[in-house]
Amino acid sequence: MIKARITVTLKNGVLDPQGKAIEHALSGLGFDGVGAVRQGKVFDVELAESDKAKAEADLNAMCDKLLANTVIENYSVTLT
Amino acid sequence: MIKARITVTLKNGVLDPQGKAIEHALSGLGFDGVGAVRQGKVFDVELAESDKAKAEADLNAMCDKLLANTVIENYSVTLT
């Protein structure tokens, strides 16, 4: 069994209102010097597969088809 | 300036309906052998701070106070 972590983040230049809201909330809580905050998603996936190369190809396909919107998001796959 | 990535994931045993939905969607798309899927959040934070220890303490405090619900979520902070 292979475990993987997929991280999906917004591309640079794409507006992130959720991140902005967090920025303001952190300032409001008294944390000074907080610059840009960007929020993304993380998926921990378990695969019943022993071939690492095959697993990685599958995971990339999953991101392209379902997990990430590649118009506005980047993704990275790491096997853990 | 310090950049950090905060990863917030659900604790083991906490139900994750969103992850379950993704599991089913992936099976429906023809990906076989997908086991558990768990979804979490990731925050990329920029701090105007040069002291790494201070930054890490601040980031942990941010997680405790705002970014994570420590009753049901774990978080990890990595400086990048």
Side-chain angles (χ1 to χ4, degrees):
Chain A
M1 192 187 66
I2 287 177
K3 290 187 181 190
R5 169 160 287 185
I6 295 168
T7 310
V8 176
T9 50
L10 283 172
K11 287 186 178 174
N12 284 336
V14 177
L15 281 180
D16 180 7
Q18 207 169 357
K20 278 274 170 241
I22 293 167
E23 242 175 87
H24 291 303
L26 287 174
S27 301
L29 282 174
F31 292 104
D32 300 323
V34 176
V37 178
R38 308 275 287 170
Q39 180 167 6
K41 285 173 284 189
V42 67
F43 304 97
D44 289 318
V45 183
E46 286 179 17
L47 283 181
E49 175 75 59
S50 50
D51 180 354
K52 287 201 171 188
K54 170 84 167 60
E56 209 149 352
D58 271 359
L59 289 161
N60 282 314
M62 287 176 199
C63 289
D64 285 325
K65 286 192 185 164
L66 181 73
L67 300 175
N69 176 354
T70 52
V71 177
I72 55 167
E73 291 172 327
N74 294 319
Y75 63 82
S76 70
V77 172
T78 44
L79 303 183
T80 52
Chain B
M1 194 186 65
I2 287 178
K3 290 187 182 189
R5 169 160 285 186
I6 295 167
T7 311
V8 177
T9 50
L10 282 172
K11 288 187 178 175
N12 284 335
V14 177
L15 282 180
D16 180 8
Q18 206 169 358
K20 278 275 169 239
I22 293 167
E23 239 175 271
H24 291 304
L26 287 173
S27 301
L29 282 172
F31 292 104
D32 300 323
V34 176
V37 178
R38 307 276 286 171
Q39 180 166 6
K41 285 173 283 188
V42 66
F43 304 96
D44 289 318
V45 183
E46 287 178 17
L47 283 180
E49 175 76 58
S50 50
D51 180 356
K52 288 202 169 186
K54 171 82 168 60
E56 210 149 351
D58 271 0
L59 289 161
N60 282 315
M62 288 175 200
C63 290
D64 285 326
K65 286 193 186 164
L66 181 74
L67 300 176
N69 175 355
T70 52
V71 177
I72 56 167
E73 290 171 330
N74 294 320
Y75 62 83
S76 70
V77 172
T78 44
L79 303 184
T80 53

